[in-house]
Amino acid sequence: MSEWRVPTFADVLAARRRIAAHLRPTPLFGYPALDELLDTQVHVKHENHQPIGAFKVRGGVNLVAQLSNDERERGLITASTGNHGQSVAFAARRFGVGARICVPERPNPVKLAAMEGLGAELIVGGADFDDARENAERLAAEHGYRYVHSGNEPHLIAGVATETLEIVEEQPDVDVVIVPVGGGSGAAGACIAAKAINPAIRVIAVQSDAAPAAYRTWKEGRPVEAECRTSAEGLATRVPFELPQQILREHLDDFVLVSEEQIKAAQRTMIEATRNLVEASGASPLAAALKLRDALRGRRVALVASGGNVSPAQLLDLLA
């Protein structure tokens, strides 16, 4: 395993200062329907209200703001199923840096159009995220681009950790924060921020049982590559990411697997109860909370609605 610099809480505070000029804090709202459903006090952190409709933009801005002149000139390349790519594209445009995004074939068209709209060059190829990632790594080596890994980047993790910092500032008595995991940067950031402020806060990660690489890696304490059949592209990784796993091993309290059906049911409930567009990965924390309902009773719970980038086709399929 490589040695990565693990972000500190000081890095999270610095990230917040850095991104404040570009992004506003997102709302943390309570909903009686969710309180009743879970029989406890629930708050939803609305990262779907970000300008790209997803939490990852925090990390993109924090990373691109700190590029060296050499890196800016070389330009950026990354791989994404959508939200990470939008994050890099948004930040690159803000800071006048060229960005290329490698995406798999058959990506979410809403996310694809958004990345193009933000001025990124799209390179389509490969069956899934990990194929796109390998393509990005090859092109970075060939052309000298600054490769932005979607998980093994301390600046990304420190940036996305600011969402949990906002949760705890607004609700200091929160007991549990539930975060979706694809690569794990969001959950790793949640651990860093929550545990620094109050070690008693439980951080719980959730992943689809149709793409359990991060879950199995955390459970088994070794890198596990697993099949990836989830329709929730925000949770769709086939291999674990080293730096987030390093942080999760040390700080994460629990990791839950939920089924594709449980995610879809939670997504319908989230859309109905919050009157917000919430993508499948953003609804997975509710699916996990429903699975843990008895254990959560009487605890103050924050659910991270990580994004709202649903395509019309996905929405029609969900509500059919």
Side-chain angles (χ1 to χ4, degrees):
M1 276 211 164
S2 313
E3 271 309 305
W4 304 96
R5 193 183 74 74
V6 175
T8 64
F9 188 56
D11 294 322
V12 180
L13 294 174
R16 191 205 0 219
R17 276 203 314 278
R18 219 169 271 123
I19 68 181
H22 307 279
L23 304 169
R24 294 180 194 161
T26 55
L28 184 72
F29 290 150
Y31 299 95
L34 295 181
D35 291 352
E36 196 177 324
L37 188 63
L38 290 167
D39 195 20
T40 196
Q41 191 184 331
V42 184
H43 285 86
V44 176
K45 182 61 169 165
H46 280 292
E47 291 298 293
N48 57 310
H49 289 206
Q50 290 286 9
I52 66 159
F55 79 104
K56 289 187 183 255
V57 68
R58 298 170 179 269
V61 170
N62 189 49
L63 182 139
V64 178
Q66 298 179 76
L67 292 176
S68 67
N69 288 336
D70 170 59
E71 288 172 318
R72 284 167 193 256
E73 277 169 29
R74 282 158 46 203
L76 305 175
I77 192 166
T78 194
S80 178
T81 52
N83 288 343
H84 167 67
Q86 285 186 78
S87 157
V88 171
F90 175 93
R93 186 178 204 175
R94 275 288 158 110
F95 291 96
V97 179
R100 291 150 205 86
I101 320 285
C102 293
V103 296
E105 290 148 21
R106 298 184 302 283
N108 176 323
V110 168
K111 296 180 181 182
L112 204 65
M115 287 187 276
E116 271 188 313
L118 288 164
E121 179 193 331
L122 296 185
I123 302 161
V124 182
D128 61 12
F129 166 77
D130 290 292
D131 287 343
R133 176 180 53 76
E134 286 161 13
N135 196 22
E137 287 167 1
R138 181 180 59 76
L139 291 169
E142 273 176 30
H143 300 282
Y145 304 134
R146 162 64 159 94
Y147 173 58
V148 182
H149 190 283
S150 55
N152 297 331
E153 291 277 2
H155 296 330
L156 289 186
I157 293 173
V160 298
T162 59
E163 80 184 2
T164 305
L165 176 58
E166 289 171 16
I167 290 171
V168 183
E169 284 182 331
E170 197 166 332
Q171 286 291 330
D173 55 358
V174 70
D175 296 307
V176 180
V177 179
I178 307 182
V179 196
V181 170
S185 64
C191 285
I192 290 166
K195 298 298 182 182
I197 300 167
N198 176 4
I201 296 172
R202 285 178 64 76
V203 179
I204 299 173
V206 55
Q207 192 167 44
S208 169
D209 65 9
Y215 168 85
R216 287 192 49 200
T217 297
W218 183 79
K219 280 281 189 195
E220 297 175 31
R222 63 185 181 89
V224 178
E225 188 171 328
E227 63 180 346
C228 179
R229 294 176 293 99
T230 181
S231 60
E233 64 267 2
L235 307 178
T237 45
R238 192 159 29 91
V239 297
F241 297 165
E242 294 173 32
L243 178 57
Q245 282 289 339
Q246 199 178 320
I247 295 162
L248 297 179
R249 263 198 308 281
E250 195 172 338
H251 299 294
L252 187 68
D253 294 290
D254 198 7
F255 207 141
V256 181
L257 280 185
V258 291
S259 71
E260 292 286 286
E261 274 315 306
Q262 286 170 324
I263 292 172
K264 282 198 165 99
Q267 190 180 4
R268 285 190 289 268
T269 301
M270 285 285 276
I271 290 171
E272 198 178 335
T274 72
R275 279 84 67 197
N276 272 260
L277 209 49
V278 179
E279 66 188 83
S281 52
S284 63
L286 175 59
L290 287 164
K291 196 168 181 176
L292 301 171
R293 188 171 179 268
D294 292 344
L296 295 177
R297 193 171 285 118
R299 321 284 294 274
R300 286 169 292 270
V301 180
L303 306 176
V304 176
S306 55
N309 292 309
V310 186
S311 72
Q314 286 173 326
L315 199 57
L316 287 169
D317 178 55
L318 178 72
L319 301 174

